[in-house]
Amino acid sequence: MKPTAFDSLHPALALAYFGVALVLAMAAPHPVLLALSFAVAVSYGAWLRGVRAVVRSFSWQLPLLVVIVAVNPLFSSTGTTELFRIGTQAVYAEGYANAATMALLLLCVMQWFANADAVLGSDKVMGVLGGALPTTGLMVSMAMRLIPHFVRRGRTIESALGACTAACIPGTERLRIATTLMGWSMENSLETADSMRCRGWGVARKRTTFRRNRFRSYDALVLSVLALLSVGAAVAAYSLMDGFGFFPSFHGSWGNPFIVLYALALCFPLALEPLGKVRR
């Protein structure tokens, strides 16, 4: 993993930051806020994982989002701006706007999880939550690595099918990749469960970790700054989401000065980088 300013801080701060970024994105699905969250997530991801890794992730994420945007409005018959009809079913512009917003929300969440996996790793998550919330800590650490892990395995399967053209019928490659990936993942989950049982998972009430982290006064100061920025971001999100909606017609505000607080909270790790280099 690339060295970051979070390496010189307690892992709880990185966990808190990514938790704030994810909660802000999911709790405030406003197009402007999601666009800002997406821009910061992609920029931070390009710095953490490299531009190539971010672009490669779009190769499978964007087709999924196109399907969501194309299909979702067909099942929503609410709106005032009718675009066309399929039989007796009317398709409205508000439905497409809502679907595009939800697709952008999904994309933001996937990018933030990928960034969190690059910064934290499973050992740091278990180090923070493993003692008090072992099951929750395990679930969070597994969820963080799930998307990057699926992507790597998908590339492996695609390479294997490309090397053996007789392995599947032409035109069914994507279906074969999906079914193989699901089977591989379910098999791996059973092996993981057996391994955890053999190693005594759940036997002791409190688990120990090999990484010892001390929460220092400097960590408390940085956490206080993050908390203040998070409160400001929450105020900005609430001010924009109050009265905002797509149905039956668009209503609400597109922006206000509080968006600056939202941006500052998301850019928190970028502001930490100069301090982290000094401390390292």
Side-chain angles (χ1 to χ4, degrees):
M1 292 188 294
K2 183 175 182 176
T4 67
F6 284 120
D7 294 338
S8 61
L9 300 170
H10 193 278
L13 274 78
L15 191 63
Y17 166 73
F18 287 109
V20 167
L22 286 168
V23 169
L24 288 175
M26 292 185 287
H30 190 284
V32 175
L33 297 180
L34 289 177
L36 182 58
S37 178
F38 174 71
V40 176
V42 170
S43 301
Y44 194 32
W47 184 80
L48 284 173
R49 299 175 282 131
V51 177
R52 278 190 173 184
V54 174
V55 173
R56 281 199 303 267
S57 68
F58 289 153
S59 64
W60 66 271
Q61 292 174 2
L62 292 181
L64 174 64
L65 302 185
V66 169
V67 172
I68 294 175
V69 175
V71 174
N72 188 65
L74 302 180
F75 299 94
S76 175
S77 58
T78 305
T80 56
T81 308
E82 183 177 332
L83 297 178
F84 57 89
R85 284 181 175 267
I86 301 178
T88 59
Q89 176 70 33
V91 180
Y92 298 93
E94 288 79 8
Y96 276 110
N98 182 66
T101 302
M102 294 301 104
L104 183 58
L105 169 60
L106 178 60
L107 187 58
C108 285
V109 170
M110 290 189 289
Q111 289 295 323
W112 280 119
F113 265 113
N115 292 344
D117 180 66
V119 172
L120 284 166
S122 58
D123 58 329
K124 292 183 179 179
V125 175
M126 291 302 298
V128 175
L129 301 177
L133 301 169
T135 303
T136 304
L138 179 64
M139 290 176 60
V140 172
S141 64
M142 293 181 70
M144 284 170 47
R145 65 188 294 268
L146 186 63
I147 294 176
H149 196 51
F150 267 32
V151 173
R152 288 193 294 268
R153 283 188 168 178
R155 292 200 196 99
T156 302
I157 297 170
E158 188 175 13
S159 299
L161 291 176
C164 183
T165 55
C168 64
I169 301 172
T172 63
E173 292 85 357
R174 292 298 174 185
L175 179 61
R176 186 64 181 271
I177 291 174
T179 54
T180 305
L181 183 60
M182 285 308 195
W184 193 357
S185 300
M186 287 188 286
E187 180 182 357
N188 184 70
S189 65
L190 293 175
E191 294 176 354
T192 302
D194 290 339
S195 177
M196 291 171 61
R197 190 179 298 109
C198 293
R199 298 182 184 185
W201 173 264
V203 174
R205 292 185 177 181
K206 186 174 181 180
R207 295 182 60 85
T208 59
T209 59
F210 71 91
R211 184 191 296 270
R212 294 185 177 273
N213 300 296
R214 293 178 55 197
F215 194 83
R216 302 154 299 177
S217 56
Y218 180 74
D219 297 322
L221 176 62
V222 176
L223 183 60
S224 301
V225 174
L226 176 60
L228 291 175
L229 292 175
S230 301
V231 171
V235 171
Y238 178 79
S239 65
L240 277 182
M241 289 300 300
D242 186 27
F244 177 82
F246 291 102
F247 304 109
S249 61
F250 172 78
H251 52 278
S253 173
W254 281 105
N256 58 45
F258 289 113
I259 294 180
V260 176
L261 300 176
Y262 192 93
L264 288 176
L266 293 180
C267 294
F268 178 73
L270 302 178
L272 279 180
E273 282 305 315
L275 297 177
K277 291 180 180 178
V278 171
R279 290 183 65 81
R280 287 198 294 269

